[in-house]
Amino acid sequence: MRLSRNAAEQDLLQAKKAKYPNLNASVSQGILAVNGNNGLNVNGIPSQNIAASSSMTLYRAGYIRNNEASKNLLVQMADLSVQEAQNNITLNITQAYLNILMAEENIVALQEILTTTKTQLKQGDQLYKAGSISRFRHRSPRTNTILLPHRITSEPILSI
C-alpha cells in the first residue's frame, strides 16, 4: 500500500515538472586518427562536439493541469487505501480479542450451569431417597450433568 502511494507521488512530481521547460546538453571531445600511404601515420586532429537543446510545451488543451490534478487525486486515493488497511487490521485485532473474551465468558457460564446442575442432582437424590419425587423427574438433571462436562472440556480454552 505504501509503495503504491510512493509511486503515485512520483507520478505527481512528473506531472508538475511537465509545466517547466526541458533542457538537454551534451559535450564530446576526441582525436581523429588518419592512416597515411607509408604505413600507419597518426596525425592528431582534435575534435569537439557541443550540443544543447531545449523544449517546452506551450499549450495542450488543459492536459498538463488536468494531468496534475489527476495525479494528485491518485496520491489521495493511495493515502486512503493505507488508512483503510490500517483500520481493517485494527478491526480484526479487536474482533479477535472480543471473540476470546466471549469464549472465556461462555466457559465461566457453562461451569456455573454445571455447578448448579450438580447441586440440583444432589437435591434430587435426597428427594428421591425420601420419596418426594418420581424416578422420571430425578433423571432430568442427571442427563444435563452428563453432557455439560463434555461441552466444557471440548471447547478450546483461550488465554490472553
Side-chain angles (χ1 to χ4, degrees):
M1 292 289 173
R2 293 180 196 260
L3 289 177
S4 64
R5 185 194 187 288
N6 291 341
E9 280 182 343
Q10 291 302 316
D11 290 344
L12 177 61
L13 287 175
Q14 286 180 350
K16 285 181 177 181
K17 289 180 181 180
K19 294 187 286 188
Y20 303 111
N22 192 5
L23 176 63
N24 295 320
S26 67
V27 176
S28 64
Q29 190 173 18
I31 298 177
L32 179 62
V34 178
N35 189 2
N37 291 335
N38 297 338
L40 182 59
N41 292 329
V42 177
N43 298 325
I45 302 172
S47 69
Q48 284 186 339
N49 185 13
I50 300 173
S53 67
S54 179
S55 65
M56 180 177 175
T57 304
L58 296 176
Y59 181 73
R60 266 184 95 178
Y63 171 78
I64 295 172
R65 184 183 64 245
N66 290 339
N67 189 32
E68 184 178 343
S70 170
K71 301 300 181 185
N72 193 19
L73 288 175
L74 289 175
V75 169
Q76 291 175 8
M77 283 176 43
D79 283 339
L80 292 174
S81 294
V82 169
Q83 288 176 357
E84 179 185 17
Q86 289 173 339
N87 289 343
N88 286 340
I89 290 170
T90 303
L91 284 173
N92 288 339
I93 291 170
T94 305
Q95 185 65 43
Y97 180 71
L98 291 175
N99 287 342
I100 290 169
L101 291 178
M102 181 60 88
E104 288 178 347
E105 188 64 32
N106 284 341
I107 290 170
V108 169
L110 288 173
Q111 287 173 339
E112 288 176 4
I113 291 172
L114 178 63
T115 304
T116 304
T117 304
K118 283 182 180 179
T119 304
Q120 286 176 350
L121 183 61
K122 284 181 188 176
Q123 289 174 351
D125 282 340
Q126 292 171 352
L127 291 173
Y128 177 71
K129 287 178 184 174
S132 297
I133 61 171
S134 68
R135 186 175 184 143
F136 175 74
R137 281 193 68 198
H138 181 56
R139 281 190 174 190
S140 178
R142 187 177 303 274
T143 305
N144 289 342
T145 307
I146 293 170
L147 294 178
L148 277 174
H150 172 70
R151 196 165 162 204
I152 290 174
T153 57
S154 67
E155 290 193 19
I157 298 175
L158 303 173
S159 62
I160 299 172

